[in-house]
Amino acid sequence: MLRTQPTKASMTFINYASREINCKIVYYGPGLCGKTTNLQHIYDSTAAQSKGKLISLATETDRTLFFDFMPLELGTVRGFKTRFHLYTVPGQVFYEASRKLILKGVDGVVFVADSQEERMDANIESLYDLEENLRSYGYELTKLPYVLQLNKRDLPNVVPPADLTAELQRKGEPVVEAIASNGVGVFDTLKAVAKQVLTELRKS
Amino acid sequence: MANSPILIREQRYHQIKALLARLRLDASARLVVLVDKDGQQIAVHGELGELDTTSLASLAAGNVAATGGMAKLIGEREFPTLSHEGERESIHISVIGRVLLLVVFDDRSSLGLVKLRSKQVSQELAQAFAEVERDSQASSADGSLPFGEITDEEIDSLFSQP
């Protein structure tokens, strides 16, 4: 099969007139792993002047239907405001088509894994789905800024971090243990991916 | 290819803004926004008020992506225009290559007029954006990006701010 040459996905926007850099980060992972909870925590703990609205396209039962979105301003580098556009995808398997659309033009990805034993298969399936969807755009996960978050560490039936890492880590990416529902690890995750995105700009 | 950031120089930005301003006037529109297909707002002109154009840009891109997905399912390449008519305010979106031209209008204008004027300006916008892409490629190739020399300390400093 003929495949397009994999490229690095950087679609960062640099605007000299408004002195802004805009980057897109996508939170990916299986249904109910806590992607929206990550965004909600970032939203709740950020000063009003640094953030825009948190848009949630969700079902009546608060499951993500299409995506959540929030713009976040981190600060200034070399006179340019750095703005990160944070997106989540819908995790449920049957939203495959929508999930793929959100990945277009992504600069960095966070994979939110659900640490519970019974969700291991769902994590693996979702990670394969991520790699496949990236490839369809000509991106390679191994070349993208990427962080693995092990979420829900507070629950009783969780897989040890070393086992989860052995199963889910793809390229030596940073692994962050988290309890997104009370904010543990949420900013560490964001920081880890944002740093890689900015470091990527140096290389491009 | 496709591995360089999109870089908008001031001159190009003002050229794009001027095209948007003209369209807004010709179409008697409230607001005109140019958005990248991935959801980044490129430029905006018109009555902004309290309107959150960042969210508008992101949702417009999502909207076009979703209808584009539907188009493919029924054997079309894409739907080149979308319009949503409300009681007072309406939105028209045209897909121009990799950018979207979004026009917000009310009863001072009409869908027909907005469609016509959007179409008339689309070629110039496509050309302007093609120039943006050329600039971006060139700047990446000759290493003149502003962040080529960015240091780890500078990146870290972003995260040490409270």
Side-chain angles (χ1 to χ4, degrees):
Chain A
M1 196 180 102
L2 200 79
R3 219 187 252 295
T4 48
Q5 184 69 28
T7 54
K8 193 175 60 180
S10 174
M11 270 302 144
T12 311
F13 254 80
I14 303 173
N15 187 329
Y16 276 84
S18 54
R19 312 294 287 179
E20 275 182 8
I21 321 169
N22 286 286
C23 312
K24 178 173 180 177
I25 292 176
V26 174
Y27 285 71
Y28 209 93
L32 293 174
C33 68
K35 301 174 288 292
T36 302
T37 312
N38 265 271
L39 248 64
Q40 188 68 54
H41 179 78
I42 294 167
Y43 184 80
D44 292 342
S45 12
T46 308
Q49 69 270 20
S50 306
K51 67 187 174 191
K53 286 197 185 85
L54 172 61
I55 301 270
S56 269
L57 303 182
T59 66
E60 302 262 308
T61 53
D62 270 343
R63 300 298 301 269
T64 304
L65 174 64
F66 194 4
F67 58 80
D68 307 303
F69 166 74
M70 90 169 260
L72 177 73
E73 200 174 300
L74 274 186
T76 307
V77 172
R78 305 236 156 168
F80 283 78
K81 277 185 272 179
T82 56
R83 299 182 84 203
F84 285 85
H85 291 195
L86 311 181
Y87 285 81
T88 67
V89 298
Q92 286 167 287
V93 173
F94 57 88
Y95 289 133
E96 165 68 27
S98 314
R99 203 161 34 241
K100 186 172 154 185
L101 295 174
I102 316 296
L103 281 175
K104 204 157 162 285
V106 70
D107 292 299
V109 177
V110 172
F111 186 86
V112 182
D114 188 327
S115 297
Q116 298 176 92
E117 238 173 78
E118 66 269 26
R119 297 300 285 162
M120 193 53 134
D121 287 349
N123 289 326
I124 294 169
E125 187 185 358
S126 177
L127 186 54
Y128 272 109
D129 177 66
L130 167 64
E131 290 184 295
E132 200 48 51
N133 283 334
L134 285 173
R135 246 176 247 133
S136 73
Y137 291 121
Y139 312 154
E140 280 295 335
L141 182 61
T142 49
K143 292 185 181 147
L144 265 181
Y146 178 61
V147 174
L148 171 62
Q149 182 187 78
L150 310 179
N151 195 22
K152 308 198 183 184
R153 296 310 303 168
D154 55 329
L155 296 185
N157 52 338
V158 294
V159 178
D163 296 354
L164 276 167
T165 303
E167 190 69 56
L168 300 172
Q169 197 182 35
R170 280 295 181 269
K171 53 163 185 173
E173 70 272 13
V175 180
V176 181
E177 292 185 43
I179 309 166
S181 56
N182 63 22
V184 174
V186 170
F187 276 96
D188 291 338
T189 305
L190 175 65
K191 185 175 166 179
V193 73
K195 266 184 94 160
Q196 290 178 60
V197 169
L198 292 171
T199 308
E200 226 20 64
L201 276 179
R202 181 162 57 190
K203 292 186 210 156
S204 58
Chain B
M1 281 297 289
N3 63 352
S4 52
I6 299 291
L7 197 142
I8 300 178
R9 300 265 178 210
E10 282 193 54
Q11 186 198 353
R12 203 68 72 196
Y13 180 74
H14 293 303
Q15 182 194 353
I16 288 171
K17 285 271 281 190
L19 288 171
L20 298 188
R22 199 180 79 207
L23 170 62
R24 188 201 160 213
L25 199 66
D26 289 349
S28 303
R30 191 184 140 196
L31 182 80
V32 183
V33 195
L34 194 68
V35 181
D36 166 72
K37 263 190 176 169
D38 303 332
Q40 309 269 19
Q41 176 186 309
I42 299 166
V44 56
H45 183 83
E47 297 165 21
L48 281 173
E50 293 294 299
L51 186 64
D52 175 3
T53 54
T54 308
S55 297
L56 189 67
S58 156
L59 291 169
N63 190 185
V64 168
T67 47
M70 289 197 289
K72 287 199 178 71
L73 288 177
I74 62 165
E76 278 291 325
R77 199 169 64 83
E78 66 182 358
F79 296 124
T81 63
L82 303 176
S83 47
H84 305 291
E85 291 180 83
E87 260 180 58
R88 287 186 310 274
E89 306 282 338
S90 301
I91 286 176
H92 180 263
I93 304 173
S94 354
V95 181
I96 308 169
R98 65 161 292 174
V99 294
L100 313 175
L101 177 60
L102 186 147
V103 181
V104 181
F105 61 99
D106 55 24
D107 54 15
R108 288 173 288 178
S109 185
S110 68
L111 181 58
L113 181 66
V114 169
K115 267 189 166 172
L116 175 72
R117 298 303 190 203
S118 295
K119 201 171 176 187
Q120 285 171 338
V121 81
S122 63
Q123 200 175 351
E124 281 175 272
L125 276 172
Q127 270 168 8
F129 204 75
E131 295 292 336
V132 166
E133 292 190 292
R134 266 196 288 279
D135 290 348
S136 307
Q137 297 278 341
S139 296
S140 292
D142 68 15
S144 64
L145 283 173
F147 309 103
E149 306 295 318
I150 194 172
T151 63
D152 287 341
E153 288 71 32
E154 281 175 301
I155 295 176
D156 281 332
S157 76
L158 277 180
F159 299 95
S160 55
Q161 297 159 18

